mmCIF file of all heavy atoms in Angstrom:
data_model
loop_
_atom_site.group_PDB
_atom_site.id
_atom_site.type_symbol
_atom_site.label_atom_id
_atom_site.label_comp_id
_atom_site.label_asym_id
_atom_site.label_seq_id
_atom_site.Cartn_x
_atom_site.Cartn_y
_atom_site.Cartn_z
ATOM 1 N N THR A 503 4.980 -2.731 4.572
ATOM 2 C CA THR A 503 4.486 -4.125 4.662
ATOM 3 C C THR A 503 5.684 -5.104 4.631
ATOM 4 O O THR A 503 6.802 -4.803 4.343
ATOM 5 C CB THR A 503 3.587 -4.419 3.455
ATOM 6 O OG1 THR A 503 4.373 -4.303 2.258
ATOM 7 C CG2 THR A 503 2.472 -3.433 3.402
ATOM 8 N N GLY A 504 5.305 -6.356 4.885
ATOM 9 C CA GLY A 504 6.279 -7.471 4.749
ATOM 10 C C GLY A 504 6.433 -8.309 5.987
ATOM 11 O O GLY A 504 5.705 -8.168 6.976
ATOM 12 N N ASN A 505 7.439 -9.188 5.946
ATOM 13 C CA ASN A 505 7.923 -9.926 7.082
ATOM 14 C C ASN A 505 9.313 -10.460 6.706
ATOM 15 O O ASN A 505 9.808 -10.201 5.588
ATOM 16 C CB ASN A 505 6.941 -11.048 7.496
ATOM 17 C CG ASN A 505 6.976 -12.217 6.550
ATOM 18 O OD1 ASN A 505 7.551 -12.184 5.480
ATOM 19 N ND2 ASN A 505 6.313 -13.288 6.939
ATOM 20 N N PRO A 506 10.040 -11.133 7.607
ATOM 21 C CA PRO A 506 11.427 -11.558 7.256
ATOM 22 C C PRO A 506 11.567 -12.429 6.024
ATOM 23 O O PRO A 506 12.640 -12.483 5.436
ATOM 24 C CB PRO A 506 11.909 -12.269 8.541
ATOM 25 C CG PRO A 506 11.099 -11.643 9.619
ATOM 26 C CD PRO A 506 9.726 -11.409 9.018
ATOM 27 N N ASP A 507 10.508 -13.156 5.643
ATOM 28 C CA ASP A 507 10.589 -14.060 4.512
ATOM 29 C C ASP A 507 10.944 -13.259 3.213
ATOM 30 O O ASP A 507 10.255 -12.268 2.881
ATOM 31 C CB ASP A 507 9.247 -14.745 4.358
ATOM 32 C CG ASP A 507 9.215 -15.801 3.280
ATOM 33 O OD1 ASP A 507 10.204 -15.872 2.508
ATOM 34 O OD2 ASP A 507 8.194 -16.529 3.221
ATOM 35 N N TYR A 508 11.939 -13.699 2.502
ATOM 36 C CA TYR A 508 12.360 -13.051 1.232
ATOM 37 C C TYR A 508 11.250 -13.023 0.209
ATOM 38 O O TYR A 508 11.244 -12.210 -0.724
ATOM 39 C CB TYR A 508 13.582 -13.689 0.672
ATOM 40 C CG TYR A 508 14.898 -13.208 1.260
ATOM 41 C CD1 TYR A 508 14.965 -12.611 2.499
ATOM 42 C CD2 TYR A 508 16.080 -13.321 0.536
ATOM 43 C CE1 TYR A 508 16.150 -12.215 3.028
ATOM 44 C CE2 TYR A 508 17.291 -12.878 1.035
ATOM 45 C CZ TYR A 508 17.351 -12.300 2.287
ATOM 46 O OH TYR A 508 18.502 -11.862 2.811
ATOM 47 N N LYS A 509 10.340 -13.995 0.297
ATOM 48 C CA LYS A 509 9.227 -14.029 -0.709
ATOM 49 C C LYS A 509 8.167 -12.973 -0.456
ATOM 50 O O LYS A 509 7.269 -12.830 -1.281
ATOM 51 C CB LYS A 509 8.628 -15.417 -0.693
ATOM 52 C CG LYS A 509 9.570 -16.550 -1.113
ATOM 53 C CD LYS A 509 8.846 -17.849 -1.188
ATOM 54 C CE LYS A 509 8.431 -18.427 0.140
ATOM 55 N NZ LYS A 509 9.527 -18.770 1.009
ATOM 56 N N SER A 510 8.324 -12.218 0.616
ATOM 57 C CA SER A 510 7.288 -11.223 0.955
ATOM 58 C C SER A 510 7.478 -9.938 0.142
ATOM 59 O O SER A 510 7.730 -8.858 0.716
ATOM 60 C CB SER A 510 7.322 -10.936 2.481
ATOM 61 O OG SER A 510 7.068 -12.081 3.216
ATOM 62 N N LEU A 511 7.407 -10.080 -1.148
ATOM 63 C CA LEU A 511 7.523 -8.902 -2.061
ATOM 64 C C LEU A 511 6.089 -8.379 -2.344
ATOM 65 O O LEU A 511 5.480 -8.733 -3.326
ATOM 66 C CB LEU A 511 8.215 -9.336 -3.364
ATOM 67 C CG LEU A 511 9.701 -9.596 -3.268
ATOM 68 C CD1 LEU A 511 10.258 -10.195 -4.567
ATOM 69 C CD2 LEU A 511 10.453 -8.315 -2.956
ATOM 70 N N VAL A 512 5.629 -7.559 -1.427
ATOM 71 C CA VAL A 512 4.277 -6.938 -1.557
ATOM 72 C C VAL A 512 4.445 -5.451 -1.350
ATOM 73 O O VAL A 512 5.296 -4.975 -0.622
ATOM 74 C CB VAL A 512 3.281 -7.530 -0.550
ATOM 75 C CG1 VAL A 512 3.077 -9.013 -0.805
ATOM 76 C CG2 VAL A 512 3.797 -7.356 0.871
ATOM 77 N N PRO A 513 3.633 -4.692 -2.056
ATOM 78 C CA PRO A 513 3.854 -3.231 -2.033
ATOM 79 C C PRO A 513 3.399 -2.623 -0.678
ATOM 80 O O PRO A 513 2.448 -3.022 -0.052
ATOM 81 C CB PRO A 513 2.929 -2.707 -3.152
ATOM 82 C CG PRO A 513 1.848 -3.760 -3.298
ATOM 83 C CD PRO A 513 2.551 -5.069 -2.968
ATOM 84 N N ASN A 514 4.197 -1.576 -0.249
ATOM 85 C CA ASN A 514 3.742 -0.720 0.848
ATOM 86 C C ASN A 514 2.454 -0.013 0.303
ATOM 87 O O ASN A 514 2.315 0.183 -0.904
ATOM 88 C CB ASN A 514 4.826 0.233 1.204
ATOM 89 C CG ASN A 514 6.075 -0.446 1.681
ATOM 90 O OD1 ASN A 514 5.993 -1.514 2.319
ATOM 91 N ND2 ASN A 514 7.251 0.061 1.368
ATOM 92 N N ARG A 515 1.599 0.436 1.220
ATOM 93 C CA ARG A 515 0.278 0.907 0.746
ATOM 94 C C ARG A 515 -0.046 2.317 1.303
ATOM 95 O O ARG A 515 0.242 2.628 2.493
ATOM 96 C CB ARG A 515 -0.810 -0.074 1.217
ATOM 97 C CG ARG A 515 -0.533 -1.484 0.789
ATOM 98 C CD ARG A 515 -0.921 -1.801 -0.616
ATOM 99 N NE ARG A 515 -2.375 -1.861 -0.779
ATOM 100 C CZ ARG A 515 -3.072 -2.969 -0.562
ATOM 101 N NH1 ARG A 515 -2.445 -4.091 -0.162
ATOM 102 N NH2 ARG A 515 -4.347 -2.991 -0.749
ATOM 103 N N LEU A 516 -0.625 3.136 0.474
ATOM 104 C CA LEU A 516 -1.101 4.463 0.837
ATOM 105 C C LEU A 516 -2.595 4.517 0.680
ATOM 106 O O LEU A 516 -3.125 4.207 -0.358
ATOM 107 C CB LEU A 516 -0.411 5.506 -0.049
ATOM 108 C CG LEU A 516 -0.840 6.984 0.159
ATOM 109 C CD1 LEU A 516 -0.528 7.464 1.564
ATOM 110 C CD2 LEU A 516 -0.195 7.908 -0.858
ATOM 111 N N PHE A 517 -3.291 4.929 1.760
ATOM 112 C CA PHE A 517 -4.736 5.080 1.792
ATOM 113 C C PHE A 517 -5.144 6.497 2.062
ATOM 114 O O PHE A 517 -4.749 7.088 3.080
ATOM 115 C CB PHE A 517 -5.354 4.127 2.792
ATOM 116 C CG PHE A 517 -5.232 2.643 2.481
ATOM 117 C CD1 PHE A 517 -4.147 1.946 2.942
ATOM 118 C CD2 PHE A 517 -6.168 1.967 1.734
ATOM 119 C CE1 PHE A 517 -3.982 0.603 2.612
ATOM 120 C CE2 PHE A 517 -6.006 0.639 1.412
ATOM 121 C CZ PHE A 517 -4.935 -0.045 1.867
ATOM 122 N N ARG A 518 -5.973 7.003 1.134
ATOM 123 C CA ARG A 518 -6.456 8.405 1.321
ATOM 124 C C ARG A 518 -7.795 8.360 2.042
ATOM 125 O O ARG A 518 -8.724 7.603 1.677
ATOM 126 C CB ARG A 518 -6.642 9.095 -0.019
ATOM 127 C CG ARG A 518 -7.149 10.533 0.106
ATOM 128 C CD ARG A 518 -7.456 11.154 -1.216
ATOM 129 N NE ARG A 518 -7.864 12.536 -1.070
ATOM 130 C CZ ARG A 518 -9.115 12.969 -0.998
ATOM 131 N NH1 ARG A 518 -10.083 12.085 -1.132
ATOM 132 N NH2 ARG A 518 -9.386 14.264 -0.838
ATOM 133 N N ASN A 519 -7.910 9.238 3.048
ATOM 134 C CA ASN A 519 -9.170 9.422 3.768
ATOM 135 C C ASN A 519 -10.114 10.289 2.886
ATOM 136 O O ASN A 519 -9.783 11.433 2.567
ATOM 137 C CB ASN A 519 -8.903 10.123 5.081
ATOM 138 C CG ASN A 519 -10.085 10.189 5.983
ATOM 139 O OD1 ASN A 519 -11.244 10.186 5.558
ATOM 140 N ND2 ASN A 519 -9.836 10.251 7.260
ATOM 141 N N MET A 520 -11.233 9.730 2.470
ATOM 142 C CA MET A 520 -12.135 10.441 1.544
ATOM 143 C C MET A 520 -13.031 11.441 2.247
ATOM 144 O O MET A 520 -13.793 12.211 1.568
ATOM 145 C CB MET A 520 -12.997 9.441 0.754
ATOM 146 C CG MET A 520 -12.151 8.379 -0.016
ATOM 147 S SD MET A 520 -11.046 9.154 -1.214
ATOM 148 C CE MET A 520 -12.247 9.668 -2.441
ATOM 149 N N GLY A 521 -12.994 11.508 3.571
ATOM 150 C CA GLY A 521 -13.787 12.492 4.334
ATOM 151 C C GLY A 521 -15.218 12.078 4.550
ATOM 152 O O GLY A 521 -15.991 12.847 5.148
ATOM 153 N N ASP A 522 -15.583 10.883 4.048
ATOM 154 C CA ASP A 522 -16.977 10.414 4.235
ATOM 155 C C ASP A 522 -17.030 9.114 5.019
ATOM 156 O O ASP A 522 -17.993 8.380 4.914
ATOM 157 C CB ASP A 522 -17.648 10.249 2.888
ATOM 158 C CG ASP A 522 -16.908 9.291 1.961
ATOM 159 O OD1 ASP A 522 -15.851 8.718 2.420
ATOM 160 O OD2 ASP A 522 -17.382 9.067 0.837
ATOM 161 N N GLY A 523 -15.929 8.867 5.755
ATOM 162 C CA GLY A 523 -15.843 7.607 6.479
ATOM 163 C C GLY A 523 -15.200 6.501 5.737
ATOM 164 O O GLY A 523 -14.967 5.406 6.291
ATOM 165 N N LYS A 524 -14.809 6.714 4.456
ATOM 166 C CA LYS A 524 -14.230 5.705 3.652
ATOM 167 C C LYS A 524 -12.771 6.070 3.261
ATOM 168 O O LYS A 524 -12.401 7.256 3.267
ATOM 169 C CB LYS A 524 -15.034 5.483 2.384
ATOM 170 C CG LYS A 524 -16.440 4.949 2.630
ATOM 171 C CD LYS A 524 -17.214 4.757 1.366
ATOM 172 C CE LYS A 524 -18.617 4.209 1.665
ATOM 173 N NZ LYS A 524 -19.423 3.982 0.416
ATOM 174 N N PHE A 525 -11.993 5.052 2.891
ATOM 175 C CA PHE A 525 -10.609 5.225 2.498
ATOM 176 C C PHE A 525 -10.405 4.632 1.085
ATOM 177 O O PHE A 525 -11.013 3.610 0.749
ATOM 178 C CB PHE A 525 -9.620 4.562 3.495
ATOM 179 C CG PHE A 525 -9.524 5.272 4.808
ATOM 180 C CD1 PHE A 525 -10.548 5.115 5.750
ATOM 181 C CD2 PHE A 525 -8.446 6.078 5.095
ATOM 182 C CE1 PHE A 525 -10.468 5.756 6.976
ATOM 183 C CE2 PHE A 525 -8.361 6.711 6.327
ATOM 184 C CZ PHE A 525 -9.350 6.550 7.252
ATOM 185 N N ALA A 526 -9.563 5.308 0.293
ATOM 186 C CA ALA A 526 -9.262 4.825 -1.041
ATOM 187 C C ALA A 526 -7.798 4.449 -1.168
ATOM 188 O O ALA A 526 -6.918 5.207 -0.715
ATOM 189 C CB ALA A 526 -9.600 5.935 -2.095
ATOM 190 N N ASP A 527 -7.510 3.313 -1.723
ATOM 191 C CA ASP A 527 -6.142 2.853 -1.981
ATOM 192 C C ASP A 527 -5.586 3.637 -3.157
ATOM 193 O O ASP A 527 -6.076 3.507 -4.294
ATOM 194 C CB ASP A 527 -6.133 1.359 -2.271
ATOM 195 C CG ASP A 527 -4.723 0.765 -2.358
ATOM 196 O OD1 ASP A 527 -3.767 1.532 -2.562
ATOM 197 O OD2 ASP A 527 -4.587 -0.458 -2.165
ATOM 198 N N VAL A 528 -4.579 4.453 -2.915
ATOM 199 C CA VAL A 528 -3.978 5.291 -3.982
ATOM 200 C C VAL A 528 -2.523 4.968 -4.110
ATOM 201 O O VAL A 528 -1.724 5.836 -4.533
ATOM 202 C CB VAL A 528 -4.167 6.798 -3.655
ATOM 203 C CG1 VAL A 528 -5.671 7.167 -3.777
ATOM 204 C CG2 VAL A 528 -3.651 7.158 -2.287
ATOM 205 N N THR A 529 -2.154 3.733 -3.830
ATOM 206 C CA THR A 529 -0.721 3.330 -3.853
ATOM 207 C C THR A 529 -0.126 3.433 -5.251
ATOM 208 O O THR A 529 0.956 3.982 -5.427
ATOM 209 C CB THR A 529 -0.624 1.892 -3.387
ATOM 210 O OG1 THR A 529 -1.194 1.745 -2.096
ATOM 211 C CG2 THR A 529 0.828 1.439 -3.330
ATOM 212 N N VAL A 530 -0.854 2.936 -6.248
ATOM 213 C CA VAL A 530 -0.327 2.879 -7.582
ATOM 214 C C VAL A 530 -0.206 4.299 -8.185
ATOM 215 O O VAL A 530 0.862 4.641 -8.664
ATOM 216 C CB VAL A 530 -1.172 1.996 -8.487
ATOM 217 C CG1 VAL A 530 -0.741 2.114 -9.963
ATOM 218 C CG2 VAL A 530 -1.102 0.533 -8.026
ATOM 219 N N SER A 531 -1.245 5.081 -8.114
ATOM 220 C CA SER A 531 -1.206 6.442 -8.641
ATOM 221 C C SER A 531 -0.192 7.273 -7.877
ATOM 222 O O SER A 531 0.464 8.145 -8.441
ATOM 223 C CB SER A 531 -2.564 7.082 -8.649
ATOM 224 O OG SER A 531 -3.075 7.200 -7.326
ATOM 225 N N GLY A 532 -0.024 7.024 -6.597
ATOM 226 C CA GLY A 532 0.880 7.813 -5.783
ATOM 227 C C GLY A 532 2.342 7.412 -5.982
ATOM 228 O O GLY A 532 3.233 8.116 -5.491
ATOM 229 N N ARG A 533 2.635 6.258 -6.623
ATOM 230 C CA ARG A 533 3.999 5.777 -6.916
ATOM 231 C C ARG A 533 4.784 5.575 -5.600
ATOM 232 O O ARG A 533 5.960 5.983 -5.477
ATOM 233 C CB ARG A 533 4.772 6.675 -7.872
ATOM 234 C CG ARG A 533 4.175 6.800 -9.236
ATOM 235 C CD ARG A 533 4.210 5.487 -9.989
ATOM 236 N NE ARG A 533 5.577 5.090 -10.357
ATOM 237 C CZ ARG A 533 5.967 3.800 -10.500
ATOM 238 N NH1 ARG A 533 5.116 2.809 -10.296
ATOM 239 N NH2 ARG A 533 7.212 3.495 -10.852
ATOM 240 N N VAL A 534 4.165 5.003 -4.618
ATOM 241 C CA VAL A 534 4.788 4.772 -3.297
ATOM 242 C C VAL A 534 4.771 3.308 -2.886
ATOM 243 O O VAL A 534 5.054 2.996 -1.744
ATOM 244 C CB VAL A 534 4.156 5.658 -2.194
ATOM 245 C CG1 VAL A 534 4.399 7.155 -2.493
ATOM 246 C CG2 VAL A 534 2.629 5.366 -2.126
ATOM 247 N N GLY A 535 4.441 2.408 -3.847
ATOM 248 C CA GLY A 535 4.276 0.991 -3.489
ATOM 249 C C GLY A 535 5.535 0.226 -3.580
ATOM 250 O O GLY A 535 5.666 -0.702 -4.329
ATOM 251 N N ASN A 536 6.560 0.621 -2.755
ATOM 252 C CA ASN A 536 7.817 -0.121 -2.744
ATOM 253 C C ASN A 536 7.617 -1.589 -2.308
ATOM 254 O O ASN A 536 6.922 -1.866 -1.342
ATOM 255 C CB ASN A 536 8.809 0.537 -1.774
ATOM 256 C CG ASN A 536 10.239 0.139 -2.000
ATOM 257 O OD1 ASN A 536 10.547 -1.065 -2.215
ATOM 258 N ND2 ASN A 536 11.123 1.095 -2.004
ATOM 259 N N LEU A 537 8.205 -2.515 -3.092
ATOM 260 C CA LEU A 537 8.023 -3.953 -2.786
ATOM 261 C C LEU A 537 8.924 -4.446 -1.696
ATOM 262 O O LEU A 537 8.710 -5.563 -1.191
ATOM 263 C CB LEU A 537 8.319 -4.742 -4.065
ATOM 264 C CG LEU A 537 7.241 -4.666 -5.194
ATOM 265 C CD1 LEU A 537 7.779 -5.177 -6.534
ATOM 266 C CD2 LEU A 537 5.957 -5.412 -4.798
#
């Protein structure tokens, strides 16, 4: 995620496919949310 603006400190995101047509945000538990 992000853009050139230095203020764009937002986490990269990981979404797990739940197999039922839905996705779950597992960024925090996965420890992959680099800002």
Side-chain angles (χ1 to χ4, degrees):
T503 64
N505 73 349
D507 186 350
Y508 274 25
K509 295 186 292 293
S510 300
L511 287 172
V512 295
N514 301 324
R515 307 280 285 275
L516 177 62
F517 291 90
R518 179 186 184 264
N519 189 333
M520 303 301 288
D522 58 359
K524 297 180 180 179
F525 288 78
D527 188 338
V528 293
T529 305
V530 172
S531 61
R533 296 296 291 151
V534 292
N536 197 315
L537 287 165

